[in-house]
Amino acid sequence: MSPRTNDGEREQPGQPDAGRPAPQARRPEPATGGPTPEPEARRATSGDDAPETGTRITGSVSDAEAVSDAEAETRDSDEPTEARASGEAAEGREPRDPAVGRDSDDRTEAREAAGGRELALPAQPEPAPVAGDERVAAVRRVGEAGRRWRAVHLGACAAMLAVALTAGAVALGAVHEQRGVPVAAAAAVSPGLLAGGDLDASITALQTHLRAQPRDFGGWATLGLAYVEQARTKGDPSRYPQAEQALGRSLALRADNDQALAGRAALAAARHDFAGALSFADRTLKQNPYNERALSSRIDALVELGRYDDADAAVRTADQRRPGVPVFTRYAYVHELRGDVTTARRVLDRALAASSSPGDIAYVAAQLGQLAWNQGDYATALTHYARALAADENYLPALEGRARAQAASGRQAEAVKGLELIVARYPLPGPLVELGELYEARGRAGDAAKAADQYALVDAWTAIARANGVNADLDTALAAADHGDRATALRAARDDWSRRHTVHTADALAWALHVNGKDAEALPYARQATATGYRNASFLYHLGVIEKATGHPQDARTHLSAALKLNPGFSALGAREARTALKSLEATK
């Protein structure tokens, strides 16, 4: 999923959607993240992670734009589960409720919902802080002194990948948004606890509540959403089956309750089933047209299906019904996809100014950093990433983005160190490929082997993701085209294109065709990837290379030059190859 796409939205603690219009004078809370994302619509990463709830803002995006047009113009001029269950039965104990993770008073229902399977909660490692650079330290000194630093669970995903590489039997899934966020709870659960941002504590409280009140459909829905969040923030997508069980339990207790339906939309998006996400979002909105999570998931699904006009209409509808940071960030991205960077920046600036919770600040600031990096403005990108990390020092998109900007600025040692810390915690495709390419570009003794190790972990991740029902075709195509089996890359790209037509899938298919020697077939897809005006140097580079291979030297020079002018450090290897190709073209003029 795109890095900016959000895989699910949380409601403000203690304030679920009421099923009635939110007055325009008040601002609904900000949103989550999903698109972890990853690169789908915004691949960093992830990635899916728009904030969901928290800050209230006054006025819609369109109102904000109208008020600030003149000002903007001035500024812009410048374990196995069956074995465990069998062991419990042999000992004369009842199996645990798989969705709750503990013994339940409602065991029959639990076993039915789980299909006789159990998913246990993992041990929780101790957190380890991430060291920041001087920019982060400077921002933190003037930031909120009393802000609690959120724990990060080290090695969970890396351990799972190790198991996958040796045994191949762990079920994981995709993660695009790497941020622990509070979730809304049933009334019996303390909103204060949830608002603290400790997702593990929130889940424990929900499990305790549901053991006492197993027929609380709202509590089950909230637990399901919490598991979706935990999958992303812990790098542990084995939580997705638990989320599915909990949400199914909620719907079995009350069919068509909008909270669980919205959760199913978020879960489908997290698994990259965007058609399913759209279907569930539409069902939710029939029950409650003002469900913020469903409104946001609907936008994300339309973007990830390549239905950009529909996404634009959906974001405007969402802005009228539930304006706030979740909608603002999506509004900005829809504009960016069409090349309107000025509006995207303006809306994100206003969203950041209106954000008050650390989660919202980290999310929006990181989006501003990504926007600046895409335009080759590395100093501004680093400033935004510093602000994001001052709010949440463990926010993955900002950590990854900072490393990319450092690499593009010539600070290779810092970038390598930062990415090594990231992949030690979250061995996800984006940072794995970036680190591998930095090793290749550095070229020291042993670096080639180090790079190969990173690319092998990408293959492990995609196998694990598929084992858990996650569609990993785009990740496979992007990584395998340059650093894996080219036939696999093309097969994955074609499969993804058969389901959705986005600029990202068009670019991935074009490049997979190119590396397989099918340049004539690749050219229309490469042109389609850039047709919306989306300013992406990698897309321009791919187009230029394909044009050069198909006998269009002037077009190739134009697009290769544009890629390097827009973002000269867009890729450690790609930028170098773009310069080589351009030099070759100039020599044959």
Side-chain angles (χ1 to χ4, degrees):
M1 160 171 227
S2 312
R4 186 168 286 178
T5 295
N6 299 296
D7 296 333
E9 304 298 339
R10 71 184 185 277
E11 296 165 356
Q12 187 172 6
Q15 296 186 15
D17 286 312
R20 58 180 181 273
Q24 277 292 333
R26 297 189 341 160
R27 272 296 182 189
E29 299 86 351
T32 163
T36 274
E38 79 133 281
E40 309 280 336
R42 159 88 60 195
R43 196 165 295 272
T45 348
S46 158
D48 105 212
D49 45 301
E52 297 176 26
T53 59
T55 309
R56 288 190 176 273
I57 311 166
T58 302
S60 66
V61 174
S62 51
D63 293 339
E65 285 188 282
V67 168
S68 63
D69 276 342
E71 171 191 348
E73 287 172 12
T74 301
R75 181 184 68 244
D76 292 334
S77 66
D78 305 336
E79 177 174 125
T81 58
E82 289 82 357
R84 186 164 56 246
S86 298
E88 290 176 345
E91 294 171 19
R93 294 185 285 115
E94 291 281 0
R96 292 180 296 176
D97 187 314
V100 174
R102 299 287 189 276
D103 293 334
S104 168
D105 293 333
D106 198 7
R107 295 182 180 99
T108 300
E109 284 188 36
R111 287 193 296 272
E112 290 172 351
R117 294 181 296 108
E118 173 197 9
L119 295 167
L121 292 172
Q124 306 296 331
E126 289 296 318
V130 177
D133 61 17
E134 61 274 12
R135 290 173 178 264
V136 179
V139 175
R140 186 178 294 119
R141 281 196 295 270
V142 297
E144 182 181 354
R147 179 175 56 82
R148 287 173 41 180
W149 291 356
R150 197 167 63 241
V152 168
H153 299 272
L154 304 178
C157 191
M160 292 177 188
L161 277 175
V163 172
L165 289 167
T166 56
V170 178
L172 275 177
V175 282
H176 285 289
E177 298 160 6
Q178 311 298 328
R179 174 163 59 91
V181 292
V183 296
V189 182
S190 166
L193 171 64
L194 299 178
D198 187 336
L199 189 58
D200 294 332
S202 300
I203 288 175
T204 298
L206 281 164
Q207 291 170 334
T208 300
H209 168 71
L210 289 166
R211 285 195 295 273
Q213 299 185 40
R215 302 193 67 81
D216 176 5
F217 69 90
W220 284 110
T222 300
L223 181 61
L225 285 161
Y227 282 142
V228 173
E229 291 294 335
Q230 193 174 56
R232 293 196 295 261
T233 62
K234 304 298 181 185
D236 180 10
S238 63
R239 289 292 172 268
Y240 290 141
Q242 288 180 294
E244 187 170 8
Q245 291 161 11
L247 293 166
R249 185 77 169 269
S250 176
L251 290 167
L253 290 166
R254 180 170 295 184
D256 288 343
N257 75 81
D258 69 285
Q259 188 179 359
L261 287 172
R264 290 297 295 269
L267 176 59
R271 285 171 156 171
H272 299 176
D273 174 13
F274 300 111
L278 181 60
S279 177
F280 278 116
D282 285 341
R283 284 180 60 187
T284 306
L285 294 171
K286 287 181 180 178
Q287 301 298 322
N288 176 7
Y290 299 90
N291 185 299
E292 183 180 66
R293 184 179 293 107
L295 288 165
S296 296
S297 291
R298 188 170 193 275
I299 300 165
D300 295 340
L302 290 167
V303 165
E304 295 300 340
L305 290 169
R307 295 169 54 180
Y308 300 130
D309 290 341
D310 291 338
D312 184 65
V315 78
R316 294 178 187 279
T317 297
D319 185 41
Q320 292 170 359
R321 295 181 185 176
R322 293 298 301 267
V325 170
V327 175
F328 281 13
T329 52
R330 288 166 172 85
Y331 191 104
Y333 187 52
V334 168
H335 277 271
E336 185 189 352
L337 283 170
R338 290 179 164 170
D340 187 356
V341 174
T342 297
T343 297
R345 185 186 302 114
R346 181 189 313 160
V347 174
L348 288 174
D349 280 339
R350 295 186 67 86
L352 183 59
S355 298
S356 58
S357 71
D360 292 337
I361 293 169
Y363 172 73
V364 180
Q367 293 306 306
L368 279 162
Q370 174 75 14
L371 185 64
W373 183 84
N374 273 351
Q375 313 313 310
D377 186 352
Y378 308 132
T380 298
L382 286 167
T383 297
H384 287 307
Y385 289 133
R387 183 165 183 181
L389 292 169
D392 179 355
E393 63 179 4
N394 296 311
Y395 187 46
L396 179 60
L399 290 169
E400 185 182 349
R402 181 179 65 179
R404 284 199 316 271
Q406 288 170 335
S409 302
R411 297 158 58 181
Q412 310 288 21
E414 294 173 84
V416 168
K417 182 178 180 180
L419 285 168
E420 287 173 339
L421 290 172
I422 292 168
V423 302
R425 302 173 178 189
Y426 305 108
L428 307 175
L432 285 167
V433 168
E434 289 159 8
L435 180 57
E437 291 190 347
L438 282 178
Y439 284 142
E440 285 196 66
R442 187 173 65 179
R444 293 180 184 172
D447 276 349
K450 289 182 180 179
D453 288 342
Q454 309 311 308
Y455 306 145
L457 283 173
V458 175
D459 293 339
W461 183 90
T462 55
I464 289 167
R466 290 194 175 92
N468 197 54
V470 176
N471 183 332
D473 282 338
L474 185 57
D475 301 278
T476 298
L478 291 169
D482 287 325
H483 309 295
D485 182 81
R486 295 175 178 180
T488 297
L490 181 54
R491 185 164 54 248
R494 288 194 190 278
D495 287 347
D496 208 45
W497 181 257
S498 71
R499 288 184 297 271
R500 58 201 183 106
H501 295 177
T502 72
V503 294
H504 294 84
T505 52
D507 171 71
L509 179 53
W511 196 241
L513 286 163
H514 164 71
V515 299
N516 280 275
K518 301 177 182 291
D519 290 297
E521 187 181 353
L523 186 56
Y525 294 106
R527 288 176 172 166
Q528 187 168 339
T530 59
T532 67
Y534 180 42
R535 293 166 57 81
N536 185 296
S538 180
F539 289 11
L540 292 167
Y541 157 62
H542 289 162
L543 175 58
V545 169
I546 293 168
E547 287 171 334
K548 179 176 182 290
T550 54
H552 298 82
Q554 184 57 50
D555 290 339
R557 277 192 291 270
T558 297
H559 292 117
L560 289 168
S561 297
L564 293 168
K565 181 178 180 181
L566 175 63
N567 185 354
F570 69 89
S571 163
L573 299 182
R576 183 175 69 187
E577 292 168 5
R579 293 186 182 94
T580 299
L582 187 58
K583 184 176 181 180
S584 170
L585 286 165
E586 294 296 339
T588 58
K589 270 177 111 174

